[in-house]
Structure formats: C-alpha cells, structure tokens
Amino acid sequence: MTKRIFRSLCLVAAAVFLLSVVLIMGVLYGYFSRIQQTQLRMQTELAAQGVELAGMDYFDGLEVRDYRITWIAADGTVLYDDSDADTASMENHLRREEVREALDTGFGESHRYSVTLMERSLYAAKRLADGTVLRLAIAQNTILTMMLGMGQGFAAVIVLALLLSVLLARQLSRRIVEPLNGLDLDEPLKNHVYEELRPLLGRLDSQQRQLRDQAELRREFTANVSHELKTPLHAISGYAELIQNGLVRPEDVQPFAGKIYDGAQHMVKMVEDIISLSHLDEGAEDMAFEPVDLYAAAEEALRKLAPVAERAQVALDLAGGPSPMEGIPALLHSIVFNLAENGVKYGRPGGCVWVTASPGPKGGAVLTVADDGPGIPPEQQEHIFERFYRGDKSRGGSVPGTGLGLSIVKHAAEVHGARLELDSAPGRGTRITVFFPSGE
Ligand code: ADP
C-alpha cells in the first residue's frame, strides 16, 4: 500500500510539475516576446532618426550584433543591408508586409517563421521623411530553442524538483500508512485516525461484539449443559451406589432401578436435544428444503406421541387438511412433536391437545397447537423460548423436561423463515401458532 501511494504521489507530482513548466514557459515566452517587440520598435525609431540625420554615413562603422538593418527605397529596392549579401541582387522589398505598412501608415510591423532555423523573425519598419523605409529585424527563439538555451539551469531545476517530489512522496506515503499500521483492532472504535475509516471500524467492532456474544453464549450453553447433565447423573450414580452396597431392601430395588432408568432417559433426551440445537445453531446447512405436506408431518408426529398422550390421558386431535409447503421434514416433525408434547406434558388428565395444519392465507402453511392446560403466566412468556428455561422448574420437577424443547421449535421455525405467535393465559390453556411463509 505504501508503495502504491508513493507511486501515485510521484506521478501526480511529476504531472503537476510538467504542466507548470509548460504553462510557465508559455507565459515567459509571451512576456519576452512583448519586451523584444517594444525594444525593436524603439531601436527602429532611433535608427530612423540616425539615418534621417546622417543618410548613408549612418551605416559607416555601424555595429549591430543582434539586429539586421535594411534601408529600402520607396520603390522597394534595397539601398543598404547589413548582411553580407549584395544589395543590388536583393529582391524587391515592396511586397514585404512591414514595408508596405510603413509606406502606407508610416510604421509597420510583422513576423515570419523559419521552420528550418526553428526561429521566428520580428520586423519593424519606419518611413523616413524622404519616403524611404528603414527596417530592423531581430530573430526570436521558439519555446523549444528557449528551453534548450536555458540548458543546464533548466535540467538542474527538473532534477531538483523530481528529487524533492520523490522525497516528499516517500515521507507523505509513510505518514498516510503509519496510522493504519498502528490501528488497535481489538478495540476498533477507540482508533481516531481517518474519518473515512469510521464505517469500516464500526463494522469490525460490531462483528467482534457478535463474536464475543456468540462465545459468551457458547460458554453459557456449555456451563448449562454440564449443570443440567450433572443432576440426573448424580441421581443415577447415587441410586446405583446404594444398590451396589446392598443398602436397598430387595423390594425397593425395582423402584430404584426405575429412578435410574428415568435419569438415564432424561439424559438421553437432553443429549438428543443438545445435538438438535447445535445442529440448528450451525444453520442446518446439510438439510435440504423439499416439498412437504405439513398435515402429513403433523399426523406422523402425533402418531409417535400417541403412547405418551395415552399414558397422560390427554386426547390428541388433528384438524385441517393437506398443507403443501417447502420445508425440512425432520425439522417440521420436531416442531409439531415438541409443541404437542408440551401440551400433553403440561395438560391435565382428561384434557386435549388440538393440532391444526392448514394452507396459509397467502401461500405457505399454518400450524396451530392448542391445549386446555394450565397456561403460561405472562411474566414467563418472554422466557419460555430461551435455552434451559423451565417455568417454575417446571412445576417443582413433577413434569420431566430439558428446557430445550421450545428453543428447538424457535430455531427450526427461524430456519423456515416462519413467525411464532403465543397466546396463553393462566387457566385458559396455551395456543402456539407457526406461520410458514410461501416458498416464493
Ligand atoms: P421443557 O418443556 O422441557 O421444560 P420447553 O422449552 O419445551 O422446555 O418449555 C419451556 C417452559 O415453557 C416449560 O418449562 C413450561 O414451563 C412452559 N411451557 C411450554 N409449553 C407449555 C404449555 N403447553 N403449557 C404450559 N406451560 C408450557
């Protein structure tokens, strides 16, 4: 990055420098041209006065180095020219622009290019009292020859400027990059470097916070899992130890074994739920959506739940009809099963759990699981979907559970993009509705 900034700065500096040189040369050239023209005019006036006073004698011993001086008769023939050429053989000057202008108005000026010599000649001509014309000419350099004329000085300035540009560019690029290298990425928002980096640092900060939250959740989850597994495990090993040490009367062995079995079942259920949740946490990416009938999925889940419901003396009722939708069969099964199982678990003997699966009003499907159980107190309603949350622990441990069932339902619904609605009040039963969106 430093190199790129350095290169860019050098390039910009070189471009600006070259452009400035070209512009300055242009301005200087114009300025010197004007000065030269004024001087030529003055010299012509002076020389004209000299010729008026002294005639041809004026040219005797006249030493003009930069100028060329020509005296032209009114008919255009050259009377005197300070070049070595023979005046008699010189062509008639009447057609020269400056000469014609001088004859007409008293004073004339013009300029002509010589491509071969790469120079421009300036001419000024003045008509004398006797009708003759005195003309002075001077060679003026083109921009290129002017630059070449400046030779070494000009090259020195270029080298100096380029060197300075390189030095400054290097320092500047380092100064730009230095704060970036010093960024504290652990606490992005504490960096006050460039305003333009704020959005990026903000995003980094929120990502880091998300990661921290996730790590915290995972820590909490692990702690909860260990804690929740420890309780049944202690019970199991406690009862097993009593039996092993012969401290249990023979008639108590069976009930103790039953408790060990219950504890083990509880652990099995918890491990299954934890596996389902971790799988959902990872986005259930290995599970594919496919066309599925929610009604059929509910039917199957209830069939599996039927023995449990029968033991609890809770009736299961399925209503609705074919409800085609796009979904993941295993997750839909788990949603229906967990919701209906809660209805059975928390319901009263002689109660009922009503399950309805029907097509949604705007496509998709709707699942409703309602019971005539005790209902959920309002202050618990916002917690029941949290992991390991068990209302009243739950009912003093009389109802077995892991506190993970509704978390699984919530996650599985999220994977389907479904919305959950809870309607419950103590003494009025519980109704949970899941709105599955249409596949489009
Ligand atoms: P679990 O049933 O294993 O305790 P859940 O996550 O399924 O865990 O439920 C969380 C809590 O929500 C339960 O402990 C219970 O207090 C309450 N709950 C869930 N469903 C019902 C229901 N149908 N009737 C009454 N209470 C319920």
Side-chain angles (χ1 to χ4, degrees):
M1 185 176 176
T2 319
K3 268 189 193 155
R4 266 171 82 162
I5 296 178
F6 172 71
R7 269 203 302 268
S8 307
L9 285 174
C10 280
L11 239 123
V12 169
V16 170
F17 175 70
L18 284 176
L19 196 79
S20 313
V21 165
V22 169
L23 287 176
I24 289 171
M25 291 313 273
V27 170
L28 279 180
Y29 186 69
Y31 176 70
F32 285 132
S33 295
R34 278 196 300 281
I35 289 183
Q36 227 174 3
Q37 198 130 24
T38 317
Q39 275 179 347
L40 182 69
R41 237 174 264 151
M42 277 163 51
Q43 295 290 349
T44 310
E45 292 284 357
L46 281 172
Q49 279 175 25
V51 175
E52 294 237 56
L53 288 174
M56 195 57 96
D57 295 343
Y58 174 76
F59 301 109
D60 289 343
L62 184 69
E63 240 181 66
V64 274
R65 227 172 289 139
D66 300 328
Y67 295 97
R68 182 179 157 197
I69 190 161
T70 315
W71 193 17
I72 303 144
D75 62 358
T77 52
V78 176
L79 301 173
Y80 172 82
D81 189 276
D82 67 349
S83 70
D84 296 336
D86 178 17
T87 49
S89 63
M90 282 183 154
E91 69 170 291
N92 190 292
H93 272 44
L94 213 52
R95 265 188 296 155
R96 304 286 165 92
E97 198 184 328
E98 68 282 359
V99 177
R100 236 180 320 124
E101 199 184 333
L103 284 171
D104 288 349
T105 64
F107 195 85
E109 273 176 318
S110 77
H111 62 263
R112 283 187 284 281
Y113 269 109
S114 159
V115 182
T116 42
L117 292 175
M118 277 209 321
E119 58 179 30
R120 194 167 88 130
S121 295
L122 297 179
Y123 299 93
K126 183 171 169 65
R127 190 182 63 205
L128 307 185
D130 59 0
T132 59
V133 170
L134 186 76
R135 185 189 75 174
L136 259 69
I138 189 168
Q140 188 191 30
N141 291 337
T142 57
I143 289 194
L144 196 66
T145 45
M146 185 166 113
M147 278 165 83
L148 290 175
M150 291 183 179
Q152 283 179 344
F154 195 63
V157 170
I158 289 182
V159 170
L160 213 77
L162 288 180
L163 264 173
L164 209 71
S165 306
V166 168
L167 265 168
L168 286 177
R170 211 169 62 181
Q171 226 168 2
L172 219 71
S173 44
R174 274 190 196 152
R175 276 242 293 271
I176 292 172
V177 174
E178 218 169 67
L180 296 178
N181 288 334
L183 280 178
D184 178 3
L185 294 181
D186 291 331
E187 297 194 71
L189 289 184
K190 285 205 173 146
N191 297 294
H192 300 289
V193 272
Y194 298 118
E195 203 48 44
E196 294 78 357
L197 283 184
R198 292 241 116 222
L200 178 76
L201 292 173
R203 271 212 303 280
L204 210 69
D205 183 68
S206 77
Q207 262 174 12
Q208 275 181 1
R209 243 176 308 140
Q210 245 172 16
L211 283 177
R212 271 198 294 270
D213 289 352
Q214 274 170 8
E216 181 59 34
L217 270 178
R218 221 169 290 141
R219 255 196 306 278
E220 238 171 62
F221 187 60
T222 317
N224 273 328
V225 168
S226 326
H227 178 77
E228 295 292 330
L229 285 178
K230 236 167 27 192
T231 320
L233 208 56
H234 277 154
I236 290 172
S237 71
Y239 288 127
E241 196 181 358
L242 286 177
I243 296 173
Q244 190 193 28
N245 293 339
L247 296 171
V248 181
R249 287 177 301 175
E251 62 269 30
D252 286 337
V253 170
Q254 205 176 4
F256 272 47
K259 285 189 192 305
I260 291 175
Y261 177 76
D262 286 349
Q265 279 307 104
H266 181 71
M267 283 181 72
V268 169
K269 174 82 170 90
M270 177 141 339
V271 170
E272 273 172 6
D273 282 356
I274 289 167
I275 291 172
S276 301
L277 256 183
S278 332
H279 188 225
L280 283 167
D281 275 346
E282 276 152 28
E285 275 161 10
D286 55 336
M287 291 179 152
F289 274 73
E290 56 184 83
V292 19
D293 178 10
L294 183 64
Y295 185 85
E299 219 172 10
E300 198 197 317
L302 292 191
R303 204 175 308 127
K304 208 172 149 204
L305 191 63
V308 184
E310 212 175 285
R311 273 199 301 278
Q313 294 167 34
V314 174
L316 293 176
D317 179 86
L318 177 63
S323 315
M325 60 173 277
E326 286 284 316
I328 300 169
L331 296 189
L332 291 179
H333 178 275
S334 144
I335 291 175
V336 183
F337 188 87
N338 275 301
L339 290 178
E341 190 193 29
N342 278 352
V344 171
K345 269 197 313 190
Y346 300 107
R348 52 182 176 78
C352 185
V353 174
W354 293 272
V355 178
T356 316
S358 48
K362 295 178 193 157
V366 182
L367 172 79
T368 309
V369 180
D371 63 57
D372 53 0
I376 303 164
E379 68 279 6
Q380 290 182 11
Q381 290 186 10
E382 57 178 306
H383 299 296
I384 59 169
F385 292 98
E386 290 168 10
R387 291 168 188 206
F388 296 110
Y389 180 84
R390 303 210 68 210
D392 301 335
K393 272 290 151 189
S394 196
R395 322 229 176 274
S398 63
V399 181
T402 59
L404 293 173
L406 288 182
S407 304
I408 293 174
V409 170
K410 183 180 147 196
H411 268 65
E414 270 169 15
V415 171
H416 283 87
R419 183 168 60 85
L420 281 172
E421 210 174 79
L422 167 70
D423 179 17
S424 180
R428 284 208 294 117
T430 301
R431 166 193 295 266
I432 293 180
T433 313
V434 192
F435 298 92
F436 293 96
S438 66
E440 291 115 51

